[in-house]
Amino acid sequence: MTNDQTAMLARYGIDYAEAMERFCGNESLFARIAVKYLDDPHVDALEAAMASGDAHSLKGVAGNLSFVCLYDLAARVTDALRANDIDSARTLMPDLRESHVAVLEALKNLVEWGLSTSMR
């Protein structure tokens, strides 16, 4: 991965260096798993099931893939829901959705760069 590509991922809230630590430097494995997030239903499910308080799954996926901005927002939503503060959780949802869309854009770039060839 080039410095420009790493910088682009950072602009979209993905910490590539952290991801490489998690994936023991295996760029191919990271790309293969990260690109699967393009089809991940957790954000839509969270929006649909806000009252149930299930932001924890999205938080786990985002954290494991070093989607740091999305992880932070999912953690904040989870904390708000655990505290029964539905209004705060709802207030965070537009930012969470925006971060989700940014991650999707970054992952589409991984596909374009050929880092995820035959991975989906």
Side-chain angles (χ1 to χ4, degrees):
M1 173 115 14
T2 68
N3 288 337
D4 287 344
Q5 291 168 330
T6 301
M8 184 282 305
L9 292 176
R11 284 192 305 274
Y12 286 108
I14 298 174
D15 187 331
Y16 180 75
E18 179 181 295
M20 287 302 92
E21 287 179 25
R22 285 182 192 275
F23 285 82
C24 298
N26 191 333
E27 184 175 272
S28 177
L29 178 62
F30 168 72
R32 185 170 56 248
I33 292 172
V35 168
K36 290 177 186 264
Y37 184 80
L38 288 168
D39 298 320
D40 189 274
H42 287 101
V43 170
D44 293 331
L46 174 60
E47 289 177 333
M50 180 66 97
S52 72
D54 185 22
H56 186 75
S57 296
L58 175 62
K59 182 177 109 172
V61 170
N64 286 332
L65 293 170
S66 298
F67 300 164
V68 292
C69 292
L70 185 59
Y71 170 81
D72 177 61
L73 287 162
R76 291 169 55 197
V77 169
T78 298
D79 291 345
L81 292 171
R82 286 183 180 154
N84 243 358
D85 187 354
I86 302 298
D87 291 335
S88 290
R90 283 191 179 125
T91 299
L92 292 166
M93 287 306 296
D95 290 339
L96 187 141
R97 173 57 82 173
E98 184 178 317
S99 182
H100 166 72
V101 169
V103 165
L104 295 180
E105 288 298 315
L107 296 176
K108 289 174 187 173
N109 280 304
L110 284 179
V111 172
E112 288 176 15
W113 298 334
L115 297 174
S116 60
T117 304
S118 71
M119 295 180 186
R120 288 186 63 183

